Structure formats: structure tokens, C-alpha cells
């Protein structure tokens, strides 16, 4: 179970979650379920160009339905999806506190990867995602405010006894005002498993409802996503002849 989190919004967390899910499924032939854990700002279904059936999320916690009846499969990628509701309420927050127990009770053992696309920030719903995750992937941009907030999430994860914490730097433009890789690594004190360059293809893919790794498989960002996924599956990434050129 991988919890994908960020200290602040707008860093591309859901873009990371969805593209990694597609690569793990399509490129590495793993069974993947992505659970949108960001009620009120549920965007996973938008990234996949699918309607949002947020009722599935609520039914998951009611435990009155079989898990397979709550899942929507993205045909082109094989990724299974449970979207979050587009609203936030006390009932939703109460359910989020039961996330770990629900995931344990529901038989998701048939999946190789369960990706939790968490909310930004440091509130109780974020703690619920951390608690339910085996690994924590923190998404940040190379800007001081983003790094500082990412550092807070890392501290919170460590306080909650999580040992497998990683960071991914997104939307890198290689500008002088950006913090460099080594400075970010020093500030975060966790392994950085990828650096995603700023690319308009990512924005285009969101609007078209097709993840970039599917829509632009030979782009630089797609190559980087495949390399990041290789770390998650513990496989050596082999460049294709086209990539080498």
C-alpha cells in the first residue's frame, strides 16, 4: 500500500499517482488499484477521463457491498479505480479514520499495488492515509515553501513509525531560483526516487482524460515515470533503443 501525499496542493500529486498506476499496470504487468482519498477535491477519475461515482467510496466503509462491485476498471490501462466523493462532510471524515481497518478487512490481497491518492496538508484525513500505508511517497516541487511542507509530512510519517518514506520532485524547470537536487535531499533527509521535469504534456493529458504515460509513451516524463516505477517493483529499468536515441 503506497500513500501518495504532499504538504501543499498544486504540486501534481494526483498526476504522480495516476501515471505511476498506469506504468505499474501497463509496463510492469502488476495488478493495481488506485483509491482516491481526497474527498472534496476528487480528481483521479478526471485524470482517467471517467465519471466520478463517489458513492463507491462511501459504500466501501459501509461494508455492505463486495469490493469488486465498487471498483471501476479503466479499460485502456487495466487500472482499477475507486473515486472519492466530490464533497466533504463529517461522515466522510469519520469514514477516513477507519481507512486502515477497511483496507485490512476487504480482500485486496489480489492486487500487487494499492495506491492511496491522499489529500494535501497535515489534517486527520492525511494521518488516516499514513496509518493505512506501508510506504509513503511525498510529492514536492523544487520550491522552498513546498519543501518545507513536505518536510512536515515526512516528520509526521516518522512520528507515526513509518520506515519506508520516499520523495519525488515534480515540475522541475531547471531554473536558477529552484532549489537543486542535493539541497532538497539534505532538507528532506529521505531518498528521492525521481525528478519529473515540467512538461505541458502533463497538463494536456489531464484535460484529455488520458494519463501522459499512455498518451505520450515516448516522452521524457513517461520515461522518468517508468524508471520511478522500476524502483517500486525492484526491477532494473532497461532503456529501449528509441529512448537511448
Amino acid at each position: 500500500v503506497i500513500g501518495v501525499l504532499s504538504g501543499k496542493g498544486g504540486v501534481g500529486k494526483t498526476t504522480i499517482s495516476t501515471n505511476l498506476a498506469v506504468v505499474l499496470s501497463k509496463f510492469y504487468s502488476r495488478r493495481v488499484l488506485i483509491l482516491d482519498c481526497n474527498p472534496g477535491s476528487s480528481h483521479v477519475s478526471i485524470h482517467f477521463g471517467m465519471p466520478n461515482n463517489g458513492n463507491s467510496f462511501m459504500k466501501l466503509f459501509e461494508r455492505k457491498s463486495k469490493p469488486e462491485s465498487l471498483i471501476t476498471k479503466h479499460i485502456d490501462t487495466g487500472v482499477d479505480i475507486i473515486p472519492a466523493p466530490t464533497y466533504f462532510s463529517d461522515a466522510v471524515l469519520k469514514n477516513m479514520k477507519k481507512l486502515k481497518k477497511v483496507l485490512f478487512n476487504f480482500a485486496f490481497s489480489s492486487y500487487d499495488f494499492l495506491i492511496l491518492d491522499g489529500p494535501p496538508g497535515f489534517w486527520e484525513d492525511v494521518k488516516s492515509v499514513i496509518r493505512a500505508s506501508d510506504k509513503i511517497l511525498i510529492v514536492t516541487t523544487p520550491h522552498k515553501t513546498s519543501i518545507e511542507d513536505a518536510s512536515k509530512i515526512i516528520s509526521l510519517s516518522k512520528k507515526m513509525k513509518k520506515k519506508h518514506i520516499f520523495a519525488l520532485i515534480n515540475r522541475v524547470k531547471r531554473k536558477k531560483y529552484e532549489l537543486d537536487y542535493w539541497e532538497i535531499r539534505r532538507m528532506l533527509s529521505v531518498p528521492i526516487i525521481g525528478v519529473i521535469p515540467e512538461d505541458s504534456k502533463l497538463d494536456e493529458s489531464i484535460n484529455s482524460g488520458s494519463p501522459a504515460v499512455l498518451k505520450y509513451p515516448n516522452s521524457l516524463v513517461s520515461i522518468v515515470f517508468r524508471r520511478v516505477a522500476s524502483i517500486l517493483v525492484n526491477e532494473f529499468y532497461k532503456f529501449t533503443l528509441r529512448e537511448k536515441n
Side-chain angles (χ1 to χ4, degrees), residues 1-12:
V1 180
I2 302 176
V4 184
L5 297 166
S6 63
K8 65 191 295 293
V11 300

Side-chain angles (χ1 to χ4, degrees), residues 128-155:
S128 296
V129 173
I130 295 174
R131 198 173 292 113
S133 301
D134 303 312
K135 297 179 180 179
I136 307 295
L137 178 58
I138 310 295
V139 180
T140 183
T141 60
H143 306 105
K144 196 168 185 178
T145 52
S146 182
I147 298 297
E148 288 184 352
D149 285 344
S151 182
K152 293 175 184 177
I153 290 286
I154 291 170
S155 296

Side-chain angles (χ1 to χ4, degrees), residues 17-18 21-22 24-26 30-36 44-45 48 50 56 67-83 107-108 110-117:
S17 296
T18 52
V22 173
L24 289 168
S25 177
K26 289 278 288 184
R30 299 311 201 264
R31 286 208 64 197
V32 182
L33 170 67
I34 181 167
L35 175 61
D36 194 332
V44 168
S45 55
F48 282 99
M50 303 172 69
S56 297
E68 54 268 27
S69 69
L70 307 178
I71 291 167
T72 302
K73 182 176 289 293
H74 188 253
I75 301 301
D76 292 340
T77 63
V79 174
D80 287 344
I81 303 165
I82 299 181
F108 289 124
S110 60
Y111 290 98
D112 299 301
F113 287 91
L114 175 53
I115 297 177
L116 308 180
D117 185 53

Side-chain angles (χ1 to χ4, degrees), residues 24-230:
L24 289 168
S25 177
K26 289 278 288 184
F27 195 80
Y28 289 102
S29 302
R30 299 311 201 264
R31 286 208 64 197
V32 182
L33 170 67
I34 181 167
L35 175 61
D36 194 332
C37 295
N38 192 9
S41 296
S42 174
H43 294 152
V44 168
S45 55
I46 294 175
H47 283 248
F48 282 99
M50 303 172 69
N52 186 327
N53 182 15
N55 291 329
S56 297
F57 181 90
M58 299 301 286
K59 290 179 180 179
L60 179 67
F61 293 91
E62 293 171 0
R63 298 172 60 185
K64 296 179 180 179
S65 305
K66 293 183 178 180
E68 54 268 27
S69 69
L70 307 178
I71 291 167
T72 302
K73 182 176 289 293
H74 188 253
I75 301 301
D76 292 340
T77 63
V79 174
D80 287 344
I81 303 165
I82 299 181
T86 55
Y87 60 89
F88 196 86
S89 66
D90 291 340
V92 172
L93 181 59
K94 185 178 180 180
N95 281 340
M96 285 292 290
K97 291 181 179 180
K98 299 184 290 185
L99 181 61
K100 182 177 181 178
K101 184 177 180 180
V102 167
L103 295 183
F104 179 81
N105 288 335
F106 273 83
F108 289 124
S109 58
S110 60
Y111 290 98
D112 299 301
F113 287 91
L114 175 53
I115 297 177
L116 308 180
D117 185 53
F122 321 99
W123 306 109
E124 284 301 319
D125 48 354
V126 174
K127 292 180 182 179
S128 296
V129 173
I130 295 174
R131 198 173 292 113
S133 301
D134 303 312
K135 297 179 180 179
I136 307 295
L137 178 58
I138 310 295
V139 180
T140 183
T141 60
H143 306 105
K144 196 168 185 178
T145 52
S146 182
I147 298 297
E148 288 184 352
D149 285 344
S151 182
K152 293 175 184 177
I153 290 286
I154 291 170
S155 296
L156 177 61
S157 299
K158 289 180 177 179
K159 187 180 294 185
M160 295 177 68
K161 309 299 183 184
K162 296 299 173 178
K163 297 181 180 179
H164 303 290
I165 308 170
F166 310 93
L168 188 147
I169 311 170
N170 192 31
R171 309 191 69 172
V172 176
K173 299 178 180 178
R174 307 290 183 187
K175 298 292 186 181
K176 290 183 178 180
Y177 57 78
E178 295 178 337
L179 299 179
D180 64 36
Y181 173 90
W182 295 109
E183 190 172 5
I184 293 172
R185 184 169 181 175
R186 178 185 60 80
M187 293 174 70
L188 296 182
S189 300
V190 297
I192 296 173
I193 63 171
V195 178
I196 309 291
E198 177 75 24
D199 194 326
S200 61
K201 292 183 178 64
L202 290 171
D203 292 329
E204 292 174 19
S205 66
I206 295 170
N207 286 335
S208 67
S210 179
V213 293
L214 186 67
K215 189 175 179 65
Y216 304 104
N218 298 313
S219 65
L220 176 58
V221 289
S222 294
I223 295 171
V224 176
F225 274 119
R226 290 197 289 272
R227 292 181 66 183
V228 171
S230 73

